[in-house]
């Protein structure tokens, strides 16, 4: 077994503490990664606070992982010691169902194995990237291009792929009008990626506080949703809306902004249910959809796309002792735009 230093939380209302966790010995196709940086995702907060269901504490969150390969299993062919790699929101799947065979492991019919708060094929609980090391089967590791720094690469493993996948699937590109709801960790990545894909991008945010940033990231327009006139002005405008907000919003109001055959895709995951008026769908043959992360193949595609277009998240690097403070700041929307933990501070 491999002992890793970590930061763990023991319950919904507990603070993070220093901990040691055991990583399994390498199997034939496993890769040992020395983690250099781990991003803080809103999903980490929801899970740590027990908002998405029961949690098997103690919990080590973190599924935006960037690091260096330090050891490989006897039959590993994809990676070697010294490679710059990343791990995202899942670390395994059945590999046999229809969805896995299509390269859509995130939608494994038997359920993928999440990077933390899951159970692996050995029957052990999974623990995430707020730690110094992780062992992952090589098929769930991706290569980080050389021109992306490791600290900036970490958030791409969730925030990047969570927004790239629906933009890619629903065809964001030249001639398409795309709106991004929210300008947080996910939202600012959605703006950058949609712009690089060639779409005309607008931001829909509660206020105009981040307008300057949004325009700098590639948006052509920026609207305040706390102004009722916004919804009147933009009715029937967009081909695609990506909702990145992890809070309850008026879905029917946002559906009204879609053009004929437009789609609103939810990637934010609020703890409480959302409701809508079905007439907001049927009036213009609109669709309300959801999207999770991407498969491993698409995640690598996203990393290569970001490298080609010089896309990286805007980050604030923190120490391991600042995780609780960072969580509070995320909940207060006081981050531009992603916290990344320097794991050397463990």
């Amino acid at each position: 077994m491999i002992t890793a230093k970590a930061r763990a939380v023991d319950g919904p209302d507990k603070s993070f503490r220093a901990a040691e966790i055991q990583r399994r010995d390498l199997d034939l196709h496993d890769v040992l990664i020395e983690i250099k940086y781990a991003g803080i995702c809103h999903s980490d907060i929801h899970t740590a606070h027990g908002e998405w269901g029961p949690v098997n504490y103690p919990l080590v969150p973190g599924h935006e992982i960037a690091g260096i390969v330090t050891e490989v299993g006897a039959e590993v062919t994809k990676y070697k010691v010294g490679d710059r790699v990343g791990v995202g929101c899942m670390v395994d799947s059945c590999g046999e169902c229809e969805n896995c065979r299509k390269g859509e492991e995130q939608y494994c019919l038997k359920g993928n194995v999440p990077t933390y708060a899951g159970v692996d094929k050995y029957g052990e609980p999974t623990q995430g990237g707020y730690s110094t090391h992780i062992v992952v089967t090589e098929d769930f590791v991706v290569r980080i291009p050389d021109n992306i720094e490791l600290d900036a690469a970490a958030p791409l493993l969730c925030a990047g792929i969570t927004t790239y996948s629906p933009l890619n699937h629903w065809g964001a590109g030249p001639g398409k009008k795309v709106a991004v709801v929210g300008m947080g960790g996910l939202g600012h990545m959605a703006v950058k990626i949609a712009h690089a894909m060639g779409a005309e991008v607008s931001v829909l945010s509660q206020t105009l506080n981040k307008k300057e940033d949004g325009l700098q990231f590639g948006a052509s327009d920026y609207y305040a949703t706390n102004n009722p006139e916004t919804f009147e002005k933009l009715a029937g405008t967009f081909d695609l809306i990506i909702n990145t907000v992890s809070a309850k919003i008026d879905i029917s109001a946002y559906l009204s902004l879609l053009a004929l055959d437009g789609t609103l895709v939810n990637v934010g995951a609020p703890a409480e249910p959302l409701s809508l008026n079905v007439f907001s769908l049927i009036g213009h043959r609109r669709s309300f959809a959801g999207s999770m992360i991407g498969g491993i193949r698409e995640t690598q595609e996203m990393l290569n796309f970001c490298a080609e277009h010089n896309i990286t998240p805007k980050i604030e690097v923190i120490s391991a002792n600042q995780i609780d403070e960072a969580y509070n700041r995320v909940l207060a929307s006081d981050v531009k735009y992603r916290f990344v933990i320097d794991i050397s501070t463990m």
Side-chain angles (χ1 to χ4, degrees), residues 37-42 44 62-67 84-90 115 140-167 184-194 196-197 292-316 337-341:
Y37 295 95
I40 291 179
C41 175
H42 209 130
D44 300 349
H63 58 205
E64 297 181 339
I65 298 168
R84 306 165 80 250
V85 296
V87 177
C89 302
M90 55 184 173
T115 305
F140 284 78
V141 176
V142 289
R143 189 177 301 279
I144 295 174
D146 290 339
N147 66 331
I148 302 179
E149 297 295 332
L150 290 181
D151 55 356
L156 296 178
L157 278 304
C158 177
I161 187 57
T162 296
T163 50
Y164 179 91
S165 187
L167 289 167
L186 290 173
H188 91 292
M189 289 306 306
V191 172
K192 290 187 173 193
I193 292 169
M197 288 178 169
M292 206 159 61
I293 50 172
I296 299 302
R297 181 178 60 213
E298 189 177 38
T299 302
Q300 187 66 62
E301 177 185 302
M302 175 274 304
L303 286 168
N304 296 343
F305 178 88
C306 288
E308 178 184 352
H309 293 275
N310 295 312
I311 296 172
T312 54
K314 190 171 182 179
I315 62 172
E316 181 177 334
Y337 282 86
R338 203 64 155 186
F339 286 117
V340 175
I341 306 165

Side-chain angles (χ1 to χ4, degrees), residues 249-253 255 264 273-282 287-289:
I249 64 170
D250 184 352
I251 291 296
S252 295
L255 285 168
L264 191 163
L274 298 174
S275 61
L276 61 87
N277 184 334
V278 73
F279 287 102
S280 59
L281 286 175
I282 63 179
S287 298
F288 180 39

Side-chain angles (χ1 to χ4, degrees), residues 92-254:
D92 210 347
S93 71
C94 80
E96 300 172 349
C97 71
E98 180 181 3
N99 293 349
C100 285
R101 292 199 305 272
K102 288 179 179 177
E104 302 277 13
E105 302 94 343
Q106 73 276 32
Y107 302 122
C108 176
L109 293 174
K110 296 182 181 178
N112 70 64
V113 179
T115 305
Y116 62 83
V119 178
D120 65 22
K121 63 185 175 183
Y122 304 98
E124 296 297 323
T126 57
Q127 301 286 12
Y130 298 6
S131 59
T132 54
H133 297 81
I134 192 168
V135 175
V136 183
T137 182
E138 64 177 324
D139 287 341
F140 284 78
V141 176
V142 289
R143 189 177 301 279
I144 295 174
D146 290 339
N147 66 331
I148 302 179
E149 297 295 332
L150 290 181
D151 55 356
L156 296 178
L157 278 304
C158 177
I161 187 57
T162 296
T163 50
Y164 179 91
S165 187
L167 289 167
N168 185 36
H169 180 79
W170 275 277
K176 292 292 183 73
K177 292 185 176 181
V178 175
V180 176
V181 182
M183 258 286 287
L186 290 173
H188 91 292
M189 289 306 306
V191 172
K192 290 187 173 193
I193 292 169
H195 174 69
M197 288 178 169
E200 180 183 327
V201 187
S202 297
V203 175
L204 305 174
S205 184
Q206 281 188 304
T207 69
L208 298 179
N209 291 346
K210 300 177 183 177
K211 180 177 180 178
E212 187 176 335
D213 286 351
L215 298 179
Q216 182 183 350
F217 295 153
S220 56
D221 292 289
Y222 199 108
Y223 300 96
T225 56
N226 63 6
N227 182 355
E229 292 180 6
T230 293
F231 291 90
E232 298 173 14
K233 178 180 179 180
L234 299 177
T237 295
F238 301 108
D239 302 298
L240 177 64
I241 299 175
I242 306 294
N243 176 26
T244 71
V245 177
S246 288
K248 193 172 185 178
I249 64 170
D250 184 352
I251 291 296
S252 295
Y254 286 88

